[in-house]
């Protein structure tokens, strides 16, 4: 074999190997892209991540909590102990939804990012799941800041706070997959994207037993909490830091519900990405 032929064979082998690596680890390259993009607003992430938990906990603990605790708190614990796990989970839900709203829509409509990725060996399924993995990278630090604040306020021990961390990630995954499955079907923005925050995320936060027990709502509103991923995650978070009387079976129900929402959302997201990018 001549030298040019050997050189061409080496180049072809390298190209094939690179394509196989990208095809195998395509989702990781999507995560890498998202992390590099986050560098442009890391200062904002740090400011909101550090400031928000302390402001919320101080406001509720020294404000509304003082009034509620005059009635001996909720579930036999101070109001701040009751509400803190739900606030942690609400943050995970909000960030998970935000990252998969304009981030997903923009990748199709404004930056054409997903169509550009499709020219590489990265598959639509890897794009969708890579976006979710990148979302967890975004949610993780926010959760850690909140859990640090919870520990500094003496609400939970480090081990109790650590138990809440995977629950928050699972909630963010379930929320992100569900939002992505719908957003990926939208071809134009006529204001419907803001619908998610205003008419889904905010109502779920209010009617998921976040600031008061779900049982205090009228019977016809309680089903909103039962189908809300936030309620299931908040109940698990509370069980992690104090005795709520939750049975092991009910704990499994909460986890199973979050896993089911995440799985269905992931399947629908991958299907939508494939239909949109392979047509």
């Amino acid at each position: 074999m001549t030298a040019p032929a050997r050189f061409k064979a080496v180049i072809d082998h390298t190209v094939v190997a690179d394509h196989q690596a990208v095809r195998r680890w395509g989702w990781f390259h999507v995560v890498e892209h998202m992390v590099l993009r986050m560098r442009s607003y890391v200062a904002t992430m740090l400011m909101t991540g550090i400031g928000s938990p302390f402001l919320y906990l101080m406001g509720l603990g020294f404000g509304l909590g003082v009034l509620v605790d005059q009635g001996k708190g909720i579930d036999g614990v101070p109001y701040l102990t009751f509400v803190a796990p739900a606030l942690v989970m609400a943050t995970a839900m909000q960030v998970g939804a935000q990252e998969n709203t304009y981030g997903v829509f923009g990748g199709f409509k404004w930056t054409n990012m997903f169509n550009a990725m499709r020219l590489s060996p990265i598959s639509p399924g890897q794009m969708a799941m890579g976006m979710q993995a990148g979302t967890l990278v975004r949610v993780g630090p926010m959760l850690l800041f909140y859990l640090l604040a919870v520990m500094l306020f003496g609400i939970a021990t480090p081990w109790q706070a650590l138990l809440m961390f995977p629950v928050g990630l699972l909630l963010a995954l379930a929320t992100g997959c569900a939002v992505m499955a719908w957003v990926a079907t939208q071809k134009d923005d006529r204001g419907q994207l803001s619908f998610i925050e205003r008419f889904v995320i905010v109502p779920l936060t209010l009617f998921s037993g976040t600031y008061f027990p779900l049982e205090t709502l009228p019977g016809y509103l309680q089903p909103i909490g039962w189908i809300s991923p936030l309620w299931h995650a908040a109940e698990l978070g509370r069980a992690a830091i104090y005795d709520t009387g939750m049975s092991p079976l009910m704990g499994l129900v909460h986890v199973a519900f979050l896993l089911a929402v995440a799985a269905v959302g992931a399947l629908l997201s991958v299907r939508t990405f494939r239909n949109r990018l392979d047509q």
Side-chain angles (χ1 to χ4, degrees), residues 57-193:
L57 292 175
M58 287 181 63
L60 290 172
F62 298 107
L64 182 60
V66 174
L67 299 175
V68 176
D69 288 341
Q70 291 178 355
K72 299 183 179 179
I74 298 177
D75 288 346
V77 297
Y79 180 69
L80 194 57
T81 302
F82 169 82
V83 78
L87 292 178
V88 174
M89 301 307 163
T91 298
M93 181 181 71
Q94 291 163 6
V95 177
Q98 290 166 2
E99 286 293 315
N100 285 280
T101 304
Y102 289 99
V104 172
F105 181 83
F108 283 112
K109 183 69 176 180
W110 297 325
T111 65
N112 214 26
M113 176 181 67
F114 296 128
N115 285 306
M117 289 182 180
R118 195 67 187 104
L119 299 177
S120 73
I122 301 176
S123 68
Q126 289 175 326
M127 295 178 207
M129 293 302 96
M131 284 287 293
Q132 294 310 319
T135 297
L136 296 184
V137 173
R138 170 78 167 84
V139 172
M142 303 296 291
L143 281 174
L144 290 176
F145 287 135
Y146 232 116
L147 294 175
L148 177 61
V150 168
M151 288 186 289
L152 291 177
F153 274 81
I155 300 170
T157 66
W159 284 111
Q160 290 171 334
L162 187 62
L163 287 175
M164 286 192 284
F165 186 73
V167 178
L169 292 181
L170 179 55
L171 173 61
L173 179 63
T175 304
C177 288
V179 172
M180 172 184 279
W182 179 76
V183 171
T185 65
Q186 304 302 300
K187 301 297 181 65
D188 295 293
D189 178 22
R190 297 186 176 87
Q192 74 272 25
L193 296 182

Side-chain angles (χ1 to χ4, degrees), residues 187-207:
K187 301 297 181 65
D188 295 293
D189 178 22
R190 297 186 176 87
Q192 74 272 25
L193 296 182
S194 61
F195 174 92
I196 295 175
E197 179 70 24
R198 296 176 184 176
F199 299 105
V200 178
I201 301 301
V202 171
L204 285 182
T205 303
L206 295 176
F207 296 104

